[in-house]
């Protein structure tokens, strides 16, 4: 909208009015001011452009465009604030770190590839697809090595799924610490993934009787390795593309495991080895990490499915309310157990709820956008969203969650989040009692 | 690998030896023969891995010790290797430095408000120590240490946690027999699932009260290399 502001500015300057004065009026006010200003300037009528800037307007309201044919397009420079961010005090290692998706700035359900959240355990390897091999061995009849070309000759399928880090919401278990949906929920993204079925690859190798677990190993600096139970093999994909283009390096280029609805760390990136065995490996990354410690000191292994969850992205700490009147609540819901069936929204801290409208498409194990219009007259609000999935799971409050989980478990926080909308329109992350 | 793949290789070798007209004739013959297209096409997806190739890539260790490579290492050799490869990040005594985790301590803390997870207090099996040091340490250098160094480091780490004596020799035979204090501290699925209630009106007994609020500004927000004001 900057070109419009500039146009206004020109006329405003001509009439001795400051740009600041116009901005204070807001957009509707600006339009009204425009009309009166044009009248006072002695023009009989707006020019043929109907008040819109045109190339023929004196001085040229349009900025010179950028040349067409830029080899790889980038967002408008005016969107430079829509970026991944990270927290200096969380995972400060250069190799083991995480960055968060700016959920509050995104619409719909697809995360642009450059904004997909990151969680790296030891850097981003640079892998040449020409020499890349996926090697499959262990309890198989025919241990095989597959080039990327080999894999692409198998039947390809595309599916849209969310991917969520097990640690999403970890900072909020004990109390609200971060005041941005980017940091409360931004270890979450959603892409259309393209690849081949794990079972098609395993069929070529011939799975032996007794094979019950599979070790998936990545080619990063920790040779990140996780055990995958056999009941998850049917849905697992080996993906090489996201949102229509090759995987980004930080998402596992050239190949990653994708098991829809499971914790991000199970979806091993830079996947280069699969070993089949009769028992889990119990690697450090599924025992000392990514196991959920309970209050009694025991830890739950293989808590792999991301439970039903949701969050309101507007209003949110990043998207405060700027005026009274008509507003629209907008947010996202997701569940590792299937489709989202309903999302309810409360404006009064969970006393009363109303169902939000779900935006199509509603896909299994995929982000679902919900919206709800409402009128705001400047009163304080306590906004909450509560998702229900097709398996009948209802998103719990913190109180309900802590009946069966522990705040010490770090991972798997799917509790209902509360945004406090203050009379000024500012939004704060709060915990209710 | 298997019989039909072997046959195919022989057939290809035989084909190569034929003269060109003979090949053409054979191809014509084959075209008439019924072919199971699926089987035939699948055959050339993937290249067989030899035992030697598998030996190179098969680097992992299970709790029962399966997969541990040949070799061994002493606590003394491990101390030397530790000072050379590990102490710079984990501290001279394995106490941890800054964000780098401690390698010992924390016994008896798992059921408290501030659990400290170390090899001694938390890890369930000793082959896992070998596995992790081998694949992940030093940070960013997967499989950079030789198995005998990794055995030595494993022996040293178990020793500083008080789990083995100073004459312990780590090997594929000895590691699975080390009794880790928290070996029974892990629970397999199924796990209980938390459930909310889908109540729509007058859902709370007491009116909601704000118990805690996040500070307005989140500290330490970084965009790339830049800290945001």
């Amino acid at each position: 909208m900057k070109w419009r502001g500039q146009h206004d500015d020109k006329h405003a300057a001509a009439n001795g009015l400051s740009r600041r004065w116009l901005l204070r009026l807001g957009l509707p006010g600006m339009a009204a001011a425009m009309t009166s200003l044009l009248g006072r300037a002695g023009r009989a009528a707006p020019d043929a452009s109907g008040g819109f800037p045109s190339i023929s307007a004196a001085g040229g309201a349009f900025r010179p465009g950028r040349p067409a044919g830029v080899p790889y397009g980038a967002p408008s420079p005016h969107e430079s604030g829509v970026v991944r961010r990270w927290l200096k005090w969380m995972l400060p290692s250069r190799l083991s770190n995480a960055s968060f998706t700016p959920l509050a700035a995104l619409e719909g359900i697809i995360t642009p590839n450059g904004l997909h959240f990151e969680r790296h355990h030891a850097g981003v390897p640079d892998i040449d697809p020409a020499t890349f091999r996926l090697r499959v061995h262990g309890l198989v009849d025919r241990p095989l090595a597959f080039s990327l070309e080999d894999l692409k000759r198998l039947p390809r399928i595309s599916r849209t799924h969310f991917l969520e880090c097990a640690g999403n919401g970890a900072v909020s278990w004990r109390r609200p610490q971060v005041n941005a949906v980017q940091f409360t929920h931004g270890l979450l993204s959603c892409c259309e993934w393209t690849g081949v079925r794990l079972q098609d690859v395993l069929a070529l190798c011939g799975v032996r009787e007794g094979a019950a677990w599979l070790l998936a190993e990545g080619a990063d600096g920790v040779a990140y390795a996780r055990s995958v139970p056999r009941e998850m093999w049917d849905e697992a994909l080996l993906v090489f593309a996201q949102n229509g283009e090759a995987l980004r390096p930080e998402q596992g280029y050239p190949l990653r495991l994708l098991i829809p609805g499971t914790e991000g760390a199970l979806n091993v990136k830079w996947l280069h080895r699969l070993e089949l065995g009769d028992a889990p490996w119990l690697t450090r990354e599924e025992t000392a990490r990514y196991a959920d410690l309970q209050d009694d000191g025991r830890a739950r292994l293989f808590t792999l499915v991301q439970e039903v969850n949701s969050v309101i992205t507007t209003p949110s700490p990043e998207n405060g309310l700027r005026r009274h009147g008509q507003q629209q609540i907008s947010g996202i819901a997701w569940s590792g157990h299937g489709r989202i069936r309903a999302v309810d929204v409360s404006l009064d801290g969970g006393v009363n709820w109303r169902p939000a409208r779900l935006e199509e498409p509603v896909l299994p194990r995929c982000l679902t956008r919900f919206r709800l219009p409402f009128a705001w007259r400047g009163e304080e609000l306590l906004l909450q969203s509560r998702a229900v999935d097709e398996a009948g799971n209802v998103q719990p409050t913190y109180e309900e969650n802590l009946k069966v989980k522990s705040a010490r478990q770090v991972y798997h926080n799917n509790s209902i989040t509360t945004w406090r909308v203050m009379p000024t329109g500012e939004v704060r992350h709060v915990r209710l009692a | 690998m298997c019989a039909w793949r072997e046959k195919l290789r022989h057939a290809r070798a035989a084909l190569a030896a034929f003269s060109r007209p003979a090949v053409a004739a054979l191809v014509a013959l084959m075209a008439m023969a019924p072919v199971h297209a699926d089987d035939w096409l699948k055959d050339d997806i993937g290249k067989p891995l030899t035992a030697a190739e598998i030996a190179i890539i098969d680097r992992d260790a299970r709790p029962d010790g399966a997969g541990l490579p040949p070799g061994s290492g002493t606590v003394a050799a491990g101390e030397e290797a530790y000072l050379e490869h590990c102490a710079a990040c984990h501290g001279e005594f394995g106490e941890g430095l800054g964000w780098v985790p401690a390698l010992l301590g924390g016994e008896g803390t798992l059921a408290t408000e501030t659990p400290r997870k170390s090899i001694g207090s938390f890890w369930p099996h000793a082959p896992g120590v070998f596995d992790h040091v081998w694949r992940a340490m030093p940070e960013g250098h997967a499989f950079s240490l030789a198995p005998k160094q990794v055995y030595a480091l494993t022996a040293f780490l178990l020793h500083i946690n008080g789990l083995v004596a100073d004459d312990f020799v780590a090997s594929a035979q000895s590691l699975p027999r080390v009794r880790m204090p928290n070996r029974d501290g892990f629970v397999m699925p199924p796990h209980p699932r938390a459930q909310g209630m889908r109540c729509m009106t007058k859902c709370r007994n007491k009116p909601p009260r704000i118990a805690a609020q996040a500070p307005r500004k989140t500290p330490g927000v970084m965009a790339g290399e830049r800290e945001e004001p």
Side-chain angles (χ1 to χ4, degrees):
Chain A
M1 292 304 282
K2 199 143 189 187
W3 52 266
R4 190 169 202 167
Q6 286 207 327
H7 185 65
D8 294 342
D9 224 15
K10 267 184 94 67
H11 288 278
N15 289 278
L17 290 165
S18 77
R19 176 188 167 81
R20 186 178 298 263
W21 179 82
L22 274 175
L23 286 175
R24 254 206 302 265
L25 285 174
L27 265 179
M30 218 182 303
M34 273 281 293
T35 315
S36 74
L37 284 170
L38 288 169
R40 264 202 288 158
R43 290 210 198 158
D47 63 21
S49 72
F52 285 91
S54 72
I55 294 168
S56 61
F62 277 116
R63 291 183 174 192
R66 292 196 283 176
V70 171
Y72 197 105
S76 159
H78 304 287
E79 300 295 321
S80 62
V82 183
V83 294
R84 292 189 288 224
R85 292 181 175 84
W86 53 287
L87 296 168
K88 212 164 71 171
W89 41 274
M90 186 194 287
L91 298 164
S93 155
R94 291 308 309 258
L95 289 175
S96 175
N97 56 16
S99 73
F100 298 72
T101 295
L103 295 174
L106 300 183
E107 275 297 343
I109 57 173
I110 297 293
T111 309
N113 288 340
L115 298 176
H116 196 293
F117 84 89
E118 300 167 276
R119 171 72 180 100
H120 307 306
H121 296 81
V124 179
D126 178 15
I127 298 173
D128 180 355
T131 55
F132 169 84
R133 295 290 181 275
L134 171 71
R135 296 182 170 94
V136 186
H137 67 107
L139 286 181
V140 293
D141 293 328
R142 296 174 293 280
L144 292 174
F146 299 93
S147 69
L148 210 55
E149 263 184 53
D150 287 336
L151 293 173
K152 288 181 177 179
R153 288 161 64 201
L154 290 166
R156 299 184 199 187
I157 54 172
S158 298
R159 294 276 188 277
T160 306
H161 292 297
F162 75 81
L163 200 60
E164 184 186 20
C165 179
N168 206 22
V171 285
S172 306
W173 264 123
R174 287 171 193 273
R175 63 186 174 281
Q177 297 191 75
V178 289
N179 201 42
V181 67
Q182 181 158 19
F183 301 121
T184 57
H185 290 83
L187 295 175
L188 167 73
S189 297
C190 186
C191 291
E192 184 213 54
W193 306 94
T194 299
V196 300
R197 289 178 201 280
L198 169 68
Q199 289 285 34
D200 285 348
V201 173
L202 295 183
L204 293 175
C205 305
V207 176
R208 283 200 185 153
E209 210 177 294
W213 290 82
L214 166 163
L215 185 75
E217 185 185 81
D220 58 356
V222 290
Y224 190 86
R226 293 291 299 266
S227 308
V228 181
R230 185 160 190 166
E231 58 263 29
M232 287 188 166
W233 296 359
D234 283 348
E235 290 217 44
L237 304 176
L238 308 179
V239 299
F240 43 79
Q242 63 179 121
N243 294 336
E245 62 179 359
L247 288 180
R248 289 292 170 91
E250 58 272 35
Q251 293 310 321
Y253 183 88
L255 191 73
R256 85 175 298 168
L257 183 61
L258 190 90
I259 308 179
T262 62
E263 65 182 21
L266 191 67
N267 299 258
V268 175
K269 299 186 277 190
W270 315 289
L271 182 71
H272 72 164
R273 182 166 80 94
L274 297 173
E275 180 177 358
L276 276 65
D278 60 357
W281 273 256
L282 298 182
T283 64
R284 181 258 194 180
E285 303 291 355
E286 56 204 20
T287 53
R289 298 291 184 276
Y290 299 106
D292 296 358
L293 186 65
Q294 299 303 298
D295 288 346
D296 64 1
R298 284 152 65 87
R300 291 177 184 156
L301 291 171
F302 301 109
T303 45
L304 300 178
V305 178
Q306 294 297 108
E307 304 287 340
V308 64
N309 206 342
S310 69
V311 68
I312 294 170
T313 54
T314 299
S316 62
E318 293 100 315
N319 294 330
L321 295 180
R322 298 165 77 97
R323 69 192 61 223
H324 296 176
Q326 189 63 45
Q327 311 288 342
Q328 185 164 234
I329 290 169
S330 171
I332 43 177
W334 64 99
S335 169
H337 291 288
R339 288 176 180 79
I340 290 297
R341 197 173 68 199
V343 179
D344 305 319
V345 169
S346 173
L347 308 182
D348 57 11
V351 180
N352 298 295
W353 298 82
R354 54 186 108 167
R357 180 173 62 83
L358 301 187
E359 205 71 74
E360 294 291 335
V362 178
L363 300 170
R365 301 176 173 92
C366 180
L367 291 192
T368 296
R369 173 69 56 178
F370 64 87
R371 300 182 206 276
L372 182 73
F374 80 106
W376 185 56
R377 291 176 189 84
E379 71 274 31
E380 182 161 316
L381 305 172
L382 295 170
L383 290 181
Q384 296 181 328
S385 66
R386 178 183 67 194
V388 182
D389 70 20
E390 63 181 344
N393 299 300
V394 180
Q395 186 184 352
T397 61
Y398 272 96
E399 212 174 22
E400 287 161 336
N401 232 346
L402 290 171
K403 277 182 195 161
V404 296
K405 297 182 190 172
S406 166
R408 289 174 218 158
Q409 68 181 39
V410 180
Y411 308 103
H412 302 113
N413 182 1
N414 65 327
S415 313
I416 290 173
T417 294
T418 309
W419 301 139
R420 174 190 184 193
V421 180
M422 324 242 265
T424 56
E426 184 190 349
V427 179
R428 294 286 285 275
H429 178 203
V430 298
R431 176 78 57 83
L432 299 184
Chain B
M1 223 22 52
C2 78
W4 51 269
R5 187 181 284 277
E6 208 51 44
K7 273 184 210 154
L8 200 77
R9 197 171 299 129
H10 286 305
R12 279 184 187 143
L15 268 178
F18 269 110
S19 69
R20 210 166 271 188
V23 172
L26 198 71
V27 167
L29 261 173
M30 283 172 69
M32 290 187 293
V35 172
H36 278 289
D38 285 355
D39 293 351
W40 208 91
L41 285 175
K42 273 181 184 170
D43 170 71
D44 68 353
I45 297 184
K47 181 176 162 288
L49 278 170
T50 64
E53 287 172 320
I54 293 171
I56 295 170
I57 59 160
D58 187 3
R59 294 174 293 196
D60 53 62
R62 286 199 329 201
D64 59 4
L68 282 169
S72 64
T74 62
V75 172
E79 180 165 14
E80 221 167 277
Y82 180 85
L83 291 173
E84 186 184 343
H85 298 290
C86 319
C89 297
H90 285 282
E92 204 172 329
F93 306 100
E95 72 275 21
L97 287 178
W99 67 274
V100 182
L103 301 173
L104 72 174
E107 290 82 2
T109 65
L110 295 183
T112 69
E113 271 300 312
T114 49
R116 287 190 288 132
K117 303 173 184 173
S118 78
I119 291 171
S121 71
F122 196 57
W123 289 37
H125 58 96
V129 180
F130 181 97
D131 181 89
H132 188 68
V133 173
W134 199 18
R135 71 173 57 254
M137 291 292 134
E139 192 193 24
H141 295 83
F143 303 115
S144 62
L145 300 174
K148 64 174 184 181
Q149 285 176 296
V150 183
Y151 275 122
L153 282 167
T154 307
F156 176 71
L157 292 172
L158 294 172
H159 177 66
I160 61 173
N161 276 282
L163 304 175
V164 297
D166 58 5
D167 61 352
F168 178 75
V169 180
S171 70
Q173 289 72 43
S174 68
L175 284 183
R177 290 202 298 266
V178 176
R179 286 176 70 81
M180 301 292 276
N182 195 40
R183 65 191 174 282
D184 298 323
F186 290 84
V187 189
M188 285 291 279
H191 304 299
R193 196 184 294 174
Q195 285 295 355
M197 291 239 298
R198 200 171 178 214
C199 162
M200 299 304 282
T201 51
K202 296 179 184 159
C203 303
R204 295 180 67 109
N205 299 328
K206 292 182 291 182
R209 180 177 64 79
I210 293 170
Q213 179 162 280
R216 176 177 282 122
K217 187 181 165 328
T218 304
V221 174
M222 305 288 293
E225 301 298 308
R226 188 172 54 84
E227 182 162 2
E228 298 199 331

